[in-house]
Amino acid sequence: MEKLPVELLIHIFRSASVDGGYTACSLSLVCTQFRDVVRPVRFHSVALDGSPIRLNRFLDILERESTASPTGGRVPSKVRHLFVQIASLASNKDDHNWSNDSPDDIHNTGGSTVQTTERDQRTSLTSYEDYIALVRAVLRLLAADLHTLVLFQHNHAHPVIKGISFPSLHELTFRACRKPIDEDYEFSPLEGPPLYPSLSRLHLLSGELSVDHWAYHAPNLTHIRVSNYSGWRGPTEFARVHEIAEDAADPRPFQQLQQMIIQPTVPPHVRRAHGLPFVRYRRNLRVLWATQAEASIPVYIPPPRELEPQERPEDPRQSPELGLSHVRTVRLNWEDRIEGRLGCWDVSEKHARGTFEGNILPLYLMTW
């Protein structure tokens, strides 16, 4: 290792720093030489749990890096891959302490170990809106250089990426709003330059696909995945994505689209939902299956994911919680994508809609 050129070491360290910062942090603690070599890539991938203290500390570190003198041998590291687990809206709306961190804790943030100081107490925010503003400040600072972005947001009532431009972003994973009434609140107006001109892969963890929004702001999409699809809007939006336009003046929205994956949400608890929720679920699933029969691109409809016991809601009318097991799955898929693997885009040909004739649901989708 001592005889390897610095340029080669940087390339090796960059290839190893794909786990959200842990490896980069470990390498920087080996010795002074490794610390200096890993500095340009120590923020290559960053995973944040979303606590205000960690977000503010991460902003402080980035600020120090960006203002470092180039003559001092400190090359600022650019964040290429970002994973943020956004904190949930507290069940007690009078409780506005969005962090459970102790002032004496020592945390690992993006490859640096920093001890909490008294000034971190400014992270006791007064409202959830202030917390979302803090998350948006982080995104604005990093938006220009990001290649992949995962926003795991439990409470999707507050828009996080609205109006922020990501010129170099290639892959985006986040949770969209479920109901069409939220569309104007969640998404940016259809005006000005596209916000995601380089985006090729879009993964919606739940919610609905707003075709008009994504066709305008992400015109170069090649892959779309919608997980935990519940059918609020119905499958008509999916049909718009791949239908063959009869009018040349009104072509289909995504001209470069190559693949679409639609994973239904888990069915309601049969023992508790013999009525309307279960009937609606089966109806939406059958309509979805029927409307994808004539798709002009490959469409895959994999079975619903398996839920952990704590994820299943007591009320069958409610959607399942996106619990810790789902967070881990999304995180692992993100790391797979950074390393060049398929991640969440790895689907079996046996789930391709085109391999089935007729509109009868296959057995693998009848999970009730």
Side-chain angles (χ1 to χ4, degrees):
M1 294 292 287
E2 294 84 359
K3 298 181 181 180
L4 290 178
V6 173
E7 294 79 8
L8 181 57
L9 284 176
I10 292 177
H11 180 73
I12 294 173
F13 290 169
R14 179 185 292 110
S15 299
S17 301
V18 295
D19 56 358
Y22 180 81
T23 298
C25 177
S26 301
L27 289 171
S28 66
L29 297 176
V30 171
C31 61
T32 303
Q33 179 191 7
F34 274 30
R35 182 194 63 190
D36 294 337
V37 173
V38 80
R39 186 178 297 277
V41 298
R42 66 173 180 161
F43 295 148
H44 181 66
S45 67
V46 174
L48 300 171
D49 70 352
S51 75
I53 286 181
R54 289 186 176 91
L55 289 174
N56 271 291
R57 187 180 303 112
F58 183 59
L59 284 174
D60 291 341
I61 295 174
L62 289 177
E63 183 178 356
R64 290 200 301 268
E65 289 290 316
S66 62
T67 57
S69 172
T71 59
R74 300 181 60 181
V75 180
S77 175
K78 294 182 178 180
V79 180
R80 298 299 189 185
H81 310 279
L82 180 64
F83 180 102
V84 182
Q85 182 182 348
I86 301 175
S88 302
L89 180 62
S91 56
N92 180 3
K93 296 190 185 230
D94 294 328
D95 178 12
H96 300 304
N97 182 15
W98 304 107
S99 174
N100 296 323
D101 296 322
S102 168
D104 297 325
D105 287 344
I106 296 179
H107 303 294
N108 178 351
T109 306
S112 296
T113 303
V114 183
Q115 186 162 0
T116 310
T117 60
E118 291 182 359
R119 66 185 176 84
D120 285 327
Q121 300 310 310
R122 61 190 169 90
T123 59
S124 295
L125 306 178
T126 58
S127 69
Y128 193 70
E129 287 75 11
D130 290 341
Y131 170 73
I132 293 298
L134 175 62
V135 176
R136 287 175 57 82
V138 174
L139 295 178
R140 285 196 187 95
L141 182 63
L142 305 178
D145 300 315
L146 284 178
H147 289 176
T148 68
L149 172 62
V150 177
L151 294 173
F152 197 100
Q153 188 175 8
H154 294 275
N155 186 335
H156 55 195
H158 296 73
V160 176
I161 60 175
K162 181 178 180 179
I164 302 177
S165 177
F166 296 87
S168 302
L169 192 65
H170 299 312
E171 186 162 341
L172 172 64
T173 300
F174 87 115
R175 189 180 186 187
C177 286
R178 286 187 301 174
K179 299 180 181 180
I181 194 173
D182 295 327
E183 189 169 289
D184 293 338
Y185 181 64
E186 172 79 6
F187 295 124
S188 303
L190 304 183
E191 58 187 23
L195 298 178
Y196 320 100
S198 303
L199 191 67
S200 59
R201 294 176 183 258
L202 171 67
H203 181 195
L204 303 181
L205 293 174
S206 67
E208 302 293 336
L209 177 67
S210 176
V211 173
D212 292 335
H213 168 79
W214 293 109
Y216 183 89
H217 287 294
N220 296 313
L221 281 175
T222 59
H223 294 71
I224 295 176
R225 174 172 181 140
V226 179
S227 300
N228 302 296
Y229 172 72
S230 58
W232 279 85
R233 185 178 298 187
T236 55
E237 289 292 275
F238 295 128
R240 288 182 58 200
V241 170
H242 54 67
E243 65 184 0
I244 300 177
E246 297 179 358
D247 186 359
D250 185 24
R252 66 181 173 91
F254 303 103
Q255 294 294 313
Q256 302 182 44
L257 194 64
Q258 302 172 12
Q259 183 190 79
M260 186 163 62
I261 304 172
I262 310 169
Q263 184 182 36
T265 189
V266 295
H269 202 304
V270 176
R271 289 175 295 178
R272 298 182 181 179
H274 287 294
L276 185 59
F278 188 65
V279 172
R280 183 185 296 118
Y281 177 86
R282 290 189 298 180
R283 181 194 62 195
N284 289 340
L285 195 57
R286 290 192 178 100
V287 173
L288 173 66
W289 184 259
T291 54
Q292 305 310 306
E294 302 298 329
S296 57
I297 59 171
V299 175
Y300 296 83
I301 306 180
R305 68 186 183 92
E306 295 184 5
L307 288 183
E308 297 290 339
Q310 63 272 17
E311 291 183 289
R312 190 173 290 278
E314 289 294 329
D315 187 345
R317 294 171 298 179
Q318 300 297 322
S319 298
E321 296 294 330
L322 301 184
L324 291 178
S325 62
H326 196 204
V327 176
R328 288 192 294 269
T329 300
V330 174
R331 170 75 178 269
L332 290 175
N333 285 331
W334 172 67
E335 294 177 2
D336 282 349
R337 292 296 299 152
I338 299 176
E339 295 181 24
R341 294 194 289 268
L342 290 176
C344 68
W345 305 101
D346 186 11
V347 289
S348 173
E349 287 298 323
K350 66 181 180 181
H351 299 147
R353 180 61 181 91
T355 61
F356 295 86
E357 296 182 359
N359 294 329
I360 299 177
L361 278 179
L363 292 177
Y364 79 85
L365 286 176
M366 300 181 185
T367 57
W368 48 83

